[in-house]
Amino acid sequence: MYLFQNAVRNIFRNKGRNIILALITFLIIFAVTVSFLISGSTKSIISNARAQFGSQVFIVSAGAKEPELSDYLKYGESDLLQKMELSMRSYGRLDGLRALDEEIPDENANVILVSTSRTDLSEEFRKGLRSIAQGSAPEKKDECLVSEDFAKLNGLSVGSRVKIAPAGTGKDGTAALTVSGIYSDNSINGTGGQAGMPLYNRNNEMITTAETAIAIDFIANSTGRQFEAAYFLKNPDSLEDFEKELRDKGLPPDCSVTVNEEEYKQVVGPAEKLSKISNIFLMIVLALGAAVLVLVSVMSMRERKYEVGVLRAMGMKKGNVILGMLTETVLITAVCLAIGLGGGTAAAGPAAEILTQQTVKTGPSDSGQEENFQTVEIRMTSAAAVEISLVALVLAGISSAAGILYITRFEPNRILSERN
């Protein structure tokens, strides 16, 4: 108890020297906290991206003929998958209704049916380029979303029926869909305005479920339809097993099974650069900080040489002298650690945002890189706090050890004689 009380008194007795030591220690802990948090957050982004895009698989056809729609559905029946996402753009002709920008109704396609199995419909709805103004998204079979302009032109409301027929002559069949909701288009490009070209007007797009579109034969097999299937593996490491399974199901040799490397690089690229910058900064801070602390500790101990000599001459053991000095350093470090953790956590967010912007700007010119890069969410975890505390204690130990080794190598009589 005496050693602790004496250590506290010594801290306040030598205010000037200890304020300098505390300020340096605080700056080091502050910088270490910022670096640790940014590095930990970017590692989390990289890990999540590997799990997401490493498990997202596409089938790319290099031949003239790609697999049939039924084949894609068959490929999705695998125990290795956690889910399958389907999306398709197909064409049809309105039966009894008018399309926007349509002058004279004919047998040609005048409506685009956009179908998906995603619950959030598409990236446009997620980013706010489109939003549901009335009703709800299609959930059941034979439901659809129509645009506000299209609904106004044809006097439609939620619950109305829309009939679609196959485009072109010589084709029979009609599909009836129920309007479950009406969407508004908030984009400024591609909204139409070209008379006689209804397919160029985004507001002629009807959005429905993949289940609905697949069940309509003349829609699923319409001329010029665009179909995409994304398979999500339960384990990214099972890609080879999944490809082998697809080959056994008849996947043609000129079709390749690939992961979503492009989006993975767009997300992971800036995150890896940011992690590298924070790690380099951390190494520099630790190296310079340790050197400065050692220098300050040695200079401080030189001033306290006479104090140590008196304590040793009074009979205090060398171990108690060392323990008292270590207690002083630990107390100062503990106070700086508490302040540094709070300040570093508050500053890590803005610092990460600035570094992210600079990283994206200095990277390859790619408009999708900035959009796909995830925001670095800074969060202090118990594991990070423990790691930073250990680093602070190690630095305190190194600095104290240097000063203690310097001062304790002298005998009490020599210290006092030099003073005299």
Side-chain angles (χ1 to χ4, degrees), residues 216-286:
I216 305 173
D217 183 68
F218 66 83
I219 290 294
N221 298 297
S222 64
T223 303
R225 70 145 171 89
Q226 301 170 5
F227 177 80
E228 185 179 84
Y231 305 95
F232 293 82
L233 298 170
K234 295 179 181 177
N235 186 349
D237 297 331
S238 60
L239 177 61
E240 292 185 3
D241 294 334
F242 180 60
E243 182 175 2
K244 183 179 182 301
E245 182 178 324
L246 296 190
R247 300 297 180 190
D248 294 338
K249 291 181 178 180
L251 181 67
D254 55 359
C255 290
S256 59
V257 181
T258 61
V259 296
N260 194 351
E261 293 184 2
E262 183 178 352
E263 288 191 36
Y264 172 77
K265 291 178 181 179
Q266 288 176 354
V267 173
V268 171
E272 288 181 337
K273 291 180 182 178
L274 187 58
S275 178
K276 185 177 181 180
I277 292 173
S278 63
N279 289 335
I280 293 175
F281 179 71
L282 176 62
M283 293 298 103
I284 293 175
V285 167
L286 290 178

Side-chain angles (χ1 to χ4, degrees), residues 332-348:
I332 294 174
T333 302
V335 174
C336 295
L337 179 63
I339 301 174
L341 285 175
T345 303

Side-chain angles (χ1 to χ4, degrees), residues 30-182:
F30 176 83
V32 168
T33 301
V34 172
S35 300
F36 255 90
L37 293 180
I38 294 177
S39 179
S41 298
T42 52
K43 287 179 181 177
S44 177
I45 290 177
I46 294 172
S47 177
N48 292 337
R50 283 174 178 165
Q52 177 183 354
F53 298 112
S55 61
Q56 188 174 354
V57 179
F58 295 93
I59 296 175
V60 180
S61 176
K65 185 179 180 181
E66 64 175 343
E68 298 292 335
L69 181 58
S70 58
D71 295 328
Y72 283 107
L73 299 177
K74 181 175 62 177
Y75 300 153
E77 299 172 355
S78 171
D79 294 334
L80 299 175
L81 300 178
Q82 55 177 325
K83 66 176 181 177
M84 173 180 63
E85 286 185 354
L86 306 175
S87 60
M88 181 168 61
R89 289 174 64 88
S90 46
Y91 304 90
R93 177 173 55 84
L94 293 168
D95 186 359
L97 299 177
R98 291 286 303 275
L100 296 164
D101 296 333
E102 184 179 31
E103 292 183 327
I104 302 175
D106 52 27
E107 298 296 323
N108 295 323
N110 58 4
V111 66
I112 301 174
L113 203 66
V114 179
S115 56
T116 179
S117 61
R118 291 177 54 161
T119 55
D120 60 354
L121 300 181
S122 68
E123 294 293 323
E124 292 183 327
F125 281 90
R126 186 175 65 84
K127 295 178 179 179
L129 296 177
R130 283 178 170 173
S131 59
I132 299 178
Q134 300 177 37
S136 60
E139 297 179 355
K140 300 177 182 178
K141 189 178 178 182
D142 297 332
E143 289 185 342
C144 70
L145 276 175
V146 298
S147 70
E148 287 180 320
D149 293 343
F150 181 83
K152 183 179 180 180
L153 176 65
N154 293 281
L156 302 177
S157 60
V158 175
S160 298
R161 299 281 283 177
V162 177
K163 291 184 178 181
I164 302 176
T169 59
K171 295 181 180 180
D172 299 324
T174 303
L177 305 180
T178 302
V179 177
S180 66
I182 299 174

